[in-house]
Amino acid sequence: MKHFLIYLFISLVFIGKNEAQKAFISEQKLALSTYMFSDPNPVADMQKNYPYFRFDGYTNKSEKREWNMVVMENDYIKVYISPEIGGKIWGAIEKSTGGEFLYFNDAVKFRDVAFRGPWTSGGLEYNFGLMGHVSTCATPQDYVIKENADGSVSCVIGALDLHTRTKWNVEVILPADKAYVETKATWHNPGSIPVTYYHYMNAAAKTAGNLEFIYPGNHYIGHGGEVGDWPVENGREIGFYEQNNFGPYKSYHVINAYSDFFGGYWHDDKFGFGHMGNYEDRPGKKLWIWGLSQQGMIWEDLLTDSKGQYIEFQPGKLFNQAMEKSSYSPFKHRDFIPHDTDLMQEIWFPIKETGGMVAASKYGVLNAIRVDDHIEIKLSALQRIKQKLVVKSDNKIVTEHVIDLNPLDLFEANVSIKPSDHFTVELGDDLLFYSSNVDDIIVNRPVEPNPEFEWNSAVGFYTRGLELEKQQSYVKGNANTMAQEFYIKSLELDPAFAPALNRLALSFYRQMDYENALKYILKSLSIDTYDAEANYYFGLINIHLDKIPDAKSGFSIAVQSTTY
């Protein structure tokens, strides 16, 4: 009997532990004050928004409306996903404090901001295709919810972007025993020709609470490639929200640090928010501020009822969200090659009682604060940690601790270090690493354009055409120019410039003018019969001309290149 009771006790403890380490997912109706959009334009927008139509009706009168929410929850955090509003994460909450590490809007206020018009603020939205808020951000999206074998739960959202004919999916994952939410994004170009390339995640956080922006780097660039100093510019500590009380709205794309993390910390709340993803997946780190003047603060009333003003922290595939003028800087546009697929994995997490952040990984958030002749080490766990933490100076161990933390537990220690000495902090075997020497992460990437580049040369005209093509400026629009015109100007200066011949052929192919497309691609192949790009377009063009042997020959040579 005694052995049976012991066995029963152990079994109950084990079952209880397993139950505590399980995430839950459900669908619930959430009633929110809603300012709905209306008045769809019956005619599709024939410029860049084609084949979508716009919505032109908005209101300042609200009604209570029930929205379907996918709710994911474990012992530490709670996440809301709104499949009826673009599939975005509506908000994320750290449960012990009630702190929102992804801003939870108390109202659904659709305003004319996105490509099709309606858009809502807050949470985390996904943008693929063209630069801006995508045309799917306000309408219902396909989704599926899952309970996974490891105890985690998932909600997968997906859509087809008709601008670029590309397909994207985002899997939102809440682990059973970790204090972060994970997103896995998949983006695929199923088409036969390159399309414009843009992907940024758009997350929101409140502004109130003495907010500090934690963005490693020494410069920022604007949408047009403009360059500024970070985090101090002209004597202002623009790394703090309140110090941005000048001028209009702000778009800071912080660059030139090889770093996987960024975020912010509300010093008044002893709480913050963070993002981490591999640098090769997410080199872009943007901060958006509406502006502290009335020009920007008016959006507080336009976009929410009572939650207050917010900022956006945005990781992206490119260093900046490039607009047309960025073409004349080093930060040009990119295109998405045919049949290519991008995979991006990242985590979003709360920061609790650390005073800030100097390093982060999926295991924890580290802060190291210099105070006179010592440093204060603070580590907040994001998952169960039982590891050795080592502090070194001049490659010699100063102190080491065996730490044993559950998620969101805090480890603190004071370590004597001379004010002039650099130091490192290491957690386990490469679980987390920090160096106080900023030169260990600063990147010396050029931020100013090369003054020797001649824009009115054959290469210059070709570059201008290619930049317009990557922005989908195939036909005359507001800029009154198109890519094809600059390719022709390039060839007027150098009739045998193969890159311009290839892209001019592609421009005629887009217009279904296959005879002209073939004429220019043959000129390119007469320069280099092994040119992979030329052979690929040679194959595409000849399919439409019903010249199948030529098409097969082109593709056969093209596939010898890893690109095609």
Side-chain angles (χ1 to χ4, degrees):
M1 183 67 178
K2 179 180 179 181
H3 289 174
F4 172 76
L5 290 174
I6 293 173
Y7 173 78
L8 179 62
F9 174 76
I10 293 173
S11 299
L12 290 172
V13 169
F14 182 75
I15 292 170
K17 183 177 180 180
N18 273 356
E19 287 179 347
Q21 299 300 305
K22 180 176 174 60
F24 299 91
I25 190 167
S26 63
E27 295 190 67
Q28 303 174 13
K29 296 295 183 182
L30 188 63
L32 294 171
S33 294
T34 300
Y35 301 74
M36 204 59 197
F37 62 93
S38 60
D39 194 18
N41 190 326
V43 180
D45 184 349
M46 297 304 292
Q47 296 298 322
K48 283 190 176 182
N49 209 35
Y50 182 82
Y52 293 102
F53 57 85
R54 283 181 50 84
F55 293 89
D56 297 316
Y58 301 89
T59 181
N60 60 1
K61 295 181 179 179
S62 69
E63 59 179 5
K64 279 290 183 181
R65 177 166 175 168
E66 286 192 338
W67 293 94
N68 185 41
M69 291 283 176
V70 174
V71 182
M72 310 165 74
E73 185 172 7
N74 63 17
D75 286 352
Y76 314 105
I77 63 177
K78 191 171 186 178
V79 181
Y80 293 82
I81 301 169
S82 53
E84 295 176 307
I85 312 174
K88 70 188 291 187
I89 295 179
W90 193 256
I93 299 166
E94 192 278 308
K95 292 168 67 172
S96 70
T97 62
E100 298 171 11
F101 61 99
L102 290 173
Y103 178 105
F104 187 104
N105 203 336
D106 65 341
V108 182
K109 276 191 169 181
F110 291 103
R111 293 295 179 253
D112 190 356
V113 174
F115 280 120
R116 298 187 72 183
W119 177 82
T120 57
S121 64
L124 171 64
E125 102 185 50
Y126 333 112
N127 294 299
F128 299 83
L130 299 185
M131 202 278 281
H133 299 285
V134 297
S135 295
T136 55
C137 69
T139 51
Q141 303 306 319
D142 293 332
Y143 72 102
V144 64
I145 62 175
K146 301 190 298 179
E147 295 182 348
N148 303 313
D150 62 357
S152 66
V153 293
S154 297
C155 179
V156 185
I157 303 101
L160 174 67
D161 175 55
L162 296 179
H163 288 131
T164 56
R165 308 300 196 271
T166 57
K167 172 68 177 176
W168 61 264
N169 289 304
V170 175
E171 182 178 9
V172 183
I173 306 165
L174 183 63
D177 54 355
K178 298 174 177 62
Y180 60 74
V181 61
E182 183 177 359
T183 54
K184 291 182 179 179
T186 305
W187 189 26
H188 177 58
N189 177 13
S192 298
I193 56 178
V195 296
T196 187
Y197 183 94
Y198 171 84
H199 173 41
Y200 258 79
M201 299 289 246
N202 184 11
K206 69 169 185 142
T207 60
N210 190 16
L211 174 58
E212 179 184 4
F213 304 116
I214 304 168
Y215 280 61
N218 59 8
H219 289 92
Y220 72 83
I221 55 175
H223 292 285
E226 310 89 345
V227 180
D229 294 325
W230 177 268
V232 178
E233 184 178 46
N234 298 325
R236 291 180 180 267
E237 291 191 58
I238 57 175
F240 282 83
Y241 173 76
E242 298 293 343
Q243 293 296 309
N244 286 272
N245 191 11
F246 65 96
Y249 62 82
K250 307 292 188 298
S251 272
Y252 300 128
H253 304 87
V254 181
I255 61 168
N256 278 3
Y258 188 81
S259 172
D260 292 335
F261 73 93
F262 70 110
Y265 194 80
W266 298 285
H267 288 275
D268 291 350
D269 301 339
K270 298 182 180 179
F271 188 75
F273 56 90
H275 167 275
M276 199 209 73
N278 291 334
Y279 180 87
E280 57 268 29
D281 288 340
R282 289 279 188 258
K285 297 174 176 62
K286 180 194 172 185
L287 167 64
W288 165 265
I289 300 174
W290 277 105
L292 279 72
S293 67
Q294 186 60 24
Q295 178 190 17
M297 294 306 290
I298 192 175
W299 287 94
E300 179 179 349
D301 293 329
L302 288 172
L303 293 173
T304 187
D305 280 351
S306 64
K307 291 303 288 285
Q309 187 61 283
Y310 73 99
I311 58 91
E312 294 170 3
F313 61 106
Q314 304 179 21
K317 290 292 291 185
L318 307 177
F319 286 114
N320 71 336
Q321 296 169 335
M323 299 181 77
E324 187 174 351
K325 287 184 179 179
S326 196
S327 296
Y328 298 93
S329 79
F331 305 97
K332 291 181 168 53
H333 301 78
R334 284 181 55 188
D335 57 8
F336 199 9
I337 64 173
H339 309 296
D340 195 11
T341 299
D342 267 0
L343 302 173
M344 292 77 66
Q345 185 172 347
E346 53 208 307
I347 65 171
W348 312 80
F349 54 87
I351 305 174
K352 187 179 175 184
E353 297 181 341
T354 62
M357 174 171 59
V358 295
S361 75
K362 63 182 180 179
Y363 294 93
V365 179
L366 176 73
N367 199 18
I369 307 167
R370 282 194 184 268
V371 182
D372 299 327
D373 60 349
H374 70 277
I375 56 172
E376 295 179 358
I377 300 291
K378 297 186 178 184
L379 176 69
S380 176
L382 294 178
Q383 60 179 280
R384 181 82 166 83
I385 300 175
K386 192 172 184 179
Q387 293 285 343
K388 184 180 290 185
L389 185 141
V390 179
V391 180
K392 296 180 181 178
S393 184
D394 292 328
N395 211 29
K396 297 178 181 177
I397 295 177
V398 178
T399 186
E400 58 184 19
H401 301 266
V402 175
I403 61 173
D404 189 352
L405 301 175
N406 288 317
L408 297 177
D409 284 351
L410 185 69
F411 167 82
E412 299 180 88
N414 290 335
V415 182
S416 296
I417 296 284
K418 292 179 182 179
S420 59
D421 287 355
H422 288 301
F423 64 92
T424 61
V425 182
E426 303 172 32
L427 177 66
D429 295 327
D430 298 322
L431 300 186
L432 188 151
F433 177 82
Y434 169 70
S435 170
S436 68
N437 187 352
V438 70
D439 291 337
D440 289 343
I441 64 166
I442 290 299
V443 175
N444 296 307
R445 179 181 295 278
V447 295
E448 299 286 355
N450 186 338
E452 297 175 333
F453 186 81
E454 178 51 64
W455 285 99
N456 291 323
S457 65
V459 175
F461 284 130
Y462 162 75
T463 302
R464 290 162 74 177
L466 188 60
E467 284 293 291
L468 285 167
E469 184 181 334
K470 291 174 182 177
Q471 298 170 75
Q472 284 196 319
S473 292
Y474 309 130
V475 297
K476 288 189 177 182
N478 294 331
N480 202 35
T481 56
M482 60 179 176
Q484 191 179 82
E485 294 178 32
F486 284 108
Y487 295 144
I488 292 172
K489 287 183 178 181
S490 173
L491 293 172
E492 287 173 352
L493 295 178
D494 185 353
F497 186 46
L501 289 168
N502 291 342
R503 285 290 175 157
L504 183 56
L506 177 60
S507 74
F508 282 116
Y509 177 85
R510 291 184 191 274
Q511 296 172 319
M512 296 183 288
D513 185 351
Y514 303 120
E515 295 291 347
N516 264 321
L518 182 62
K519 180 177 76 172
Y520 286 102
I521 213 65
L522 288 174
K523 288 184 178 182
S524 179
L525 288 173
S526 68
I527 298 168
D528 182 1
T529 198
Y530 300 113
D531 184 326
E533 183 180 25
N535 274 282
Y536 181 70
Y537 298 151
F538 181 67
L540 288 179
I541 294 163
N542 278 299
I543 285 177
H544 290 279
L545 294 174
D546 201 27
K547 298 179 180 178
I548 303 306
D550 286 5
K552 288 181 176 179
S553 176
F555 291 140
S556 296
I557 304 304
V559 296
Q560 296 178 14
S561 162
T562 54
T563 301
Y564 295 99

